[in-house]
Amino acid sequence: IAVAEDVRVILIKLADRTHNMRTLEFMPPEKQKFKGYETISLYAPLAQRLGMFTIKTDLEDLSFKYLHPQEYTLLKQEVEKIILPVIEELGYKLYDVEFVKEAGTFYLRAYIDKEGGININDCELVSRRLSDLLDEKDFIPDAYILEVSSPGLGRTLKKDRHLEKSIGEDVEIKLFKAVDGCKEFEGELLEPGREIRRSLYMALSDITFLIVV
């Protein structure tokens, strides 16, 4: 508590760090690891000292995927391997999977897609099938809530297949480092090799946020 004369400053810092940890996936790997270590060694103990045990647990869990990326990736891959056949059998495509903790509760989120879009009935159908399957496998040690939804119109592009499907669409790009003094761009996502008058080439590792607009 000696870091600030007013405890309200600490509360704001803890809230800000919790929000930052929930958006850390869009930062470079080295910064993710540094922030994760800083959170687990400084902010989580500080929250515990103030008796804010829910925030303390959230910070520890949010740090896990960046301090132990292999274990987190293996869990996510196992989930995808189990649920993908069921989703495809029902006529849908698996867009992405997330396993996150928010406000003290773990959420396993499956984003599905199909031609023509997803509605609430699609989500309910897939959710029922996945719920039964995951209960049967029972390989996730923590209690969690399963959510099935569409990736939405303004979907984040994270994987190669997302980029390939979005060629020709308008996208918004945010970069780690500025190009020509700018970190944010908007334009058409083009296929490799297309000749154009002016273009911006970048690696995915340079991009902090890529979304269809």
Side-chain angles (χ1 to χ4, degrees), residues 161-172:
R161 66 173 185 268
H162 300 162
L163 295 170
E164 291 168 1
K165 188 176 179 181
S166 299
I167 287 175
E169 297 191 58
D170 290 334
V171 296
E172 176 185 328

Side-chain angles (χ1 to χ4, degrees), residues 68-104:
H68 306 283
Q70 287 186 320
E71 291 86 343
Y72 176 80
T73 300
L74 286 174
L75 175 61
K76 186 175 176 180
Q77 288 175 343
E78 184 67 17
V79 171
E80 291 183 353
K81 183 174 72 174
I82 289 173
I83 69 175
L84 181 59
V86 173
I87 290 175
E88 291 182 340
E89 176 190 331
L90 294 172
Y92 304 100
K93 295 179 181 179
L94 178 62
Y95 188 83
D96 200 10
V97 171
E98 288 181 343
F99 189 64
V100 298
K101 189 171 187 181
E102 297 176 358

Side-chain angles (χ1 to χ4, degrees), residues 39-56:
T39 298
I40 206 79
S41 59
L42 175 61
Y43 287 88
L46 184 57
Q48 180 178 13
R49 187 175 179 183
L50 292 173
M52 305 173 71
F53 299 109
T54 299
I55 291 180
K56 176 248 186 188

Side-chain angles (χ1 to χ4, degrees), residues 2-146:
V3 297
E5 295 181 0
D6 191 336
V7 71
R8 290 175 295 182
V9 174
I10 300 177
L11 299 181
I12 292 172
K13 288 288 187 182
L14 288 173
D16 183 59
R17 176 50 60 109
T18 303
H19 175 267
N20 288 343
M21 292 301 294
R22 290 192 176 124
T23 57
L24 200 59
E25 63 181 303
F26 302 113
M27 291 186 177
E30 62 273 12
K31 195 165 187 178
Q32 291 175 347
K33 192 167 185 178
F34 172 79
K35 290 285 187 181
Y37 178 78
E38 186 180 56
T39 298
I40 206 79
S41 59
L42 175 61
Y43 287 88
L46 184 57
Q48 180 178 13
R49 187 175 179 183
L50 292 173
M52 305 173 71
F53 299 109
T54 299
I55 291 180
K56 176 248 186 188
T57 303
D58 276 355
L59 291 172
E60 290 176 338
D61 291 327
L62 289 167
S63 300
F64 174 77
K65 66 185 290 187
Y66 304 111
L67 294 176
H68 306 283
Q70 287 186 320
E71 291 86 343
Y72 176 80
T73 300
L74 286 174
L75 175 61
K76 186 175 176 180
Q77 288 175 343
E78 184 67 17
V79 171
E80 291 183 353
K81 183 174 72 174
I82 289 173
I83 69 175
L84 181 59
V86 173
I87 290 175
E88 291 182 340
E89 176 190 331
L90 294 172
Y92 304 100
K93 295 179 181 179
L94 178 62
Y95 188 83
D96 200 10
V97 171
E98 288 181 343
F99 189 64
V100 298
K101 189 171 187 181
E102 297 176 358
T105 302
F106 280 106
Y107 291 88
L108 175 58
R109 295 189 175 118
Y111 297 95
I112 60 173
D113 202 5
K114 71 172 183 180
E115 293 296 329
I118 297 295
N119 59 43
I120 187 65
N121 294 326
D122 297 320
C123 295
E124 289 179 355
L125 174 62
V126 174
S127 181
R128 285 196 297 269
R129 288 289 300 273
L130 294 187
S131 181
D132 293 340
L133 177 63
L134 291 169
D135 285 344
E136 176 187 334
K137 298 296 183 180
D138 194 26
F139 67 97
I140 300 177
D142 300 288
Y144 63 90
I145 295 174
L146 172 66

Side-chain angles (χ1 to χ4, degrees), residues 179-180 185 190 195-201:
V179 174
D180 296 333
F185 295 87
L190 303 177
E195 293 185 7
I196 54 177
R197 293 173 59 188
R198 187 175 186 274
S199 62
L200 178 66
Y201 296 95

